[in-house]
Amino acid sequence: LEDLTCDSARDVHGFASGGRGVPPFSVRYCPDAGRGHVLAVADESGLVSMIDTRHGVAEQRADDGFPAHHNALFDLAWVAGERRLVTGSGDQTCKLFDVETKLELSSYHAHRGSVKSVSVRPGAPHLFASGARDGDIHVWDVHRIFANEGAAGQLDYNPNAHFINVGYKASKALKAAAFAYLIDPDSP
């Protein structure tokens, strides 16, 4: 760790919304080959900013972001190979965006609290999960919403998922603050 350095003029990326500093809540590098330098940033104002980490702050373009929600944006996840992002917000919704056109492709409504985490399933880019302050986890199928099937693309629903028994005494319930899909090396 002693060898790690940071050139604050080049490696520290600050950004402002409306002339004031806005805290970033989630940052994710693009997983696609050749685009690993693109960093998506979700912030408190509901904006998604794209930062090209190959360049310093002075070289960033002001139009690299887009408004995603009218509330705090708590998490985002890249859809591998498709240049799309899934977002989760304090407005209790998830949205799917095309990063190139900056257009909203679909919106997902079912939570009764701020959406705190989203995760796209590896190997199945049409599936994503969301977790919220309501304690629920929802699994969504993007294909269903485009085909107008089901309840806004909802595939599965786990109410009160924040009550997890992990072998501790039952005197306290634990809350799930974040989650991710795990890749099973033995599955096809």
Side-chain angles (χ1 to χ4, degrees), residues 82-102:
E82 297 192 15
R83 296 193 182 173
R84 294 179 177 182
L85 281 174
V86 174
T87 60
S89 171
D91 65 9
Q92 304 178 8
T93 67
C94 299
K95 294 183 180 181
L96 177 67
F97 289 92
D98 182 309
V99 175
E100 300 298 318
T101 63
K102 302 176 184 175

Side-chain angles (χ1 to χ4, degrees), residues 1-177:
L1 289 177
E2 298 94 30
D3 295 335
L4 293 178
T5 62
C6 178
D7 176 0
S8 62
R10 186 160 181 78
D11 297 334
V12 176
H13 297 273
F15 50 96
S17 177
R20 60 181 176 78
V22 178
F25 284 167
S26 181
V27 293
R28 302 273 188 256
Y29 278 103
C30 181
D32 298 342
R35 293 188 45 88
H37 60 278
V38 177
L39 182 68
V41 181
D43 74 25
E44 185 178 50
S45 71
L47 188 74
V48 172
S49 298
M50 296 295 165
I51 296 175
D52 185 340
T53 59
R54 297 175 300 184
H55 306 292
V57 176
E59 301 170 57
Q60 296 297 322
R61 294 191 324 256
D63 64 348
D64 284 345
F66 57 91
H69 295 264
H70 296 292
N71 203 312
L73 215 169
F74 291 110
D75 200 13
L76 50 77
W78 286 93
V79 179
E82 297 192 15
R83 296 193 182 173
R84 294 179 177 182
L85 281 174
V86 174
T87 60
S89 171
D91 65 9
Q92 304 178 8
T93 67
C94 299
K95 294 183 180 181
L96 177 67
F97 289 92
D98 182 309
V99 175
E100 300 298 318
T101 63
K102 302 176 184 175
L103 293 176
E104 178 184 322
L105 301 175
S106 53
S107 185
Y108 305 85
H109 310 266
H111 285 291
R112 300 172 320 273
S114 297
V115 179
K116 294 294 192 170
S117 59
V118 293
S119 182
V120 176
R121 183 174 174 183
H126 62 286
L127 298 176
F128 75 93
S130 60
R133 294 230 2 121
D134 58 10
D136 298 347
I137 295 173
H138 294 265
V139 178
W140 306 92
D141 184 343
V142 173
H143 291 165
R144 281 191 174 189
I145 198 164
F146 287 131
N148 290 323
E149 297 175 16
Q154 186 173 323
L155 248 185
D156 198 6
Y157 160 66
N158 186 353
N160 298 314
H162 63 284
F163 293 107
I164 304 170
N165 183 354
V166 290
Y168 295 108
K169 292 182 182 176
S171 62
K172 246 186 179 177
L174 300 176
K175 271 193 167 179

